Amino acid sequence: MKKRLLSAIVLSVGLLIAGCGNQGAATGDSSNKSNDSGSTSNQPVKIVAVGSTALQPLVDAAKDQFVSEHANYTISVQGGGSGTGLSQVADGAVTIGNSDVFAEEKSGVDASKLVDHRVAVVGMGPVVNKEVGVKNISKQELIDIFSGKIKNWKDLGGKDQEIAVINRPSGSGTRATFEKWGLDGAKAVQSQEQDSSGTVRQIVSQTPGAISYLAFSYMDESTDALSIDDVKPTEENVADNSWKIWSYEHMYTKGQPDDDVKAFLDFMLTDDVQDGVVKELGYLPITAMKVERDVTGTITKK
């Protein structure tokens, strides 16, 4: 009788312990599932960056590298011009507005609502058809060409060929930068306008007597880049402001970016990007600049 009673007690205690163990295991599983559901590291992230065609190749290349390491990201990079990028990001239509100019320089855009993320510097300069026979002009001659006062390359020691000015649309950040720093604020003569930097390069290369302007990142052997007052359009000359036609490349967000967007913007400033595709594509790393320039044009040495 005692043996039976003892066996029953042992069995009851064993069942109680097992039940408690199972309850603990179940509670542990529930806790783990809760933690997993709270993790957002692998959640889909969609970023749309729109604007400057001068900045587009850099963001495109960096995007490909970033997405290869972060498969949950989908990043779309589109052109349209700096004005389009700034207005669309201000309206909340896109995640990032790419721009060659400060938001404060664009009318109709409330810059106070935007946050500036500078990711590189881009030099810009005049390019001509290779057959015009001119390699160097003065700044005043550049102004006279684009304002329509000089109409033939022979007046500059080149070929007897009518000058064909190819301009950019009014919303172009490249145009705003070129007019401000290359033309001293003078407005270009009414002429053919093209929004895409790639299209501009193609037209200049194929049109006798053509002149336009491009970011360094779009310059190649298909056109000739002009020197101004014997200063060549090089990255070294941009770095110390000897070549004055340059701008920061801005990636604007509406307010502070969330963590997912910030991760991509931070990636743009990593050594992998700044010492990699930034240099490879003809931009200047932010750290390479020997001067800083604010929205008013004031230059300070770094």
Side-chain angles (χ1 to χ4, degrees), residues 56-110:
Q56 189 174 357
L58 173 58
V59 182
D60 244 337
K63 172 261 295 184
D64 290 342
Q65 186 176 344
F66 185 81
V67 170
S68 71
E69 301 168 6
H70 302 82
N72 58 313
Y73 276 72
T74 301
I75 303 176
S76 173
V77 184
Q78 304 166 25
S82 298
T84 297
L86 289 170
S87 61
Q88 289 197 6
V89 74
D91 291 341
V94 300
T95 322
I96 296 170
N98 294 332
S99 177
D100 307 322
V101 297
F102 288 92
E104 291 87 346
E105 297 180 87
K106 280 295 178 185
S107 61
V109 173
D110 187 352

Side-chain angles (χ1 to χ4, degrees), residues 144-158:
D144 289 345
I145 289 172
F146 276 88
S147 61
K149 294 178 182 177
I150 297 178
K151 301 176 185 271
N152 196 302
W153 288 110
K154 70 179 181 180
D155 297 331
L156 299 169

Side-chain angles (χ1 to χ4, degrees), residues 191-213:
S191 64
Q192 178 184 168
E193 294 183 353
Q194 293 291 335
D195 181 53
S196 166
S197 296
T199 302
V200 168
R201 180 178 58 196
Q202 182 179 11
I203 290 174
V204 172
S205 69
Q206 297 175 354
T207 304
I211 183 172
S212 190
Y213 43 93

Side-chain angles (χ1 to χ4, degrees), residues 222-291:
S222 67
T223 63
D224 282 340
L226 293 182
S227 296
I228 300 175
D229 293 319
D230 296 313
V231 178
K232 294 183 178 181
T234 65
E235 297 171 9
E236 293 76 15
N237 286 334
V238 167
D240 64 7
N241 201 46
S242 295
W243 182 269
K244 295 176 172 55
I245 312 173
W246 61 270
S247 70
Y248 291 106
E249 293 292 31
H250 311 261
M251 297 177 72
Y252 279 98
T253 56
K254 187 174 184 179
Q256 292 294 340
D258 63 29
D259 289 344
D260 292 327
V261 176
K262 186 176 184 299
F264 178 55
L265 293 169
D266 287 345
F267 176 74
M268 296 293 300
L269 297 176
T270 61
D271 291 342
D272 282 348
V273 174
Q274 293 290 307
D275 294 333
V277 293
V278 168
K279 293 181 178 180
E280 292 166 10
L281 294 177
Y283 303 85
L284 280 78
I286 290 290
T287 53
M289 292 299 292
K290 298 176 182 178
V291 299

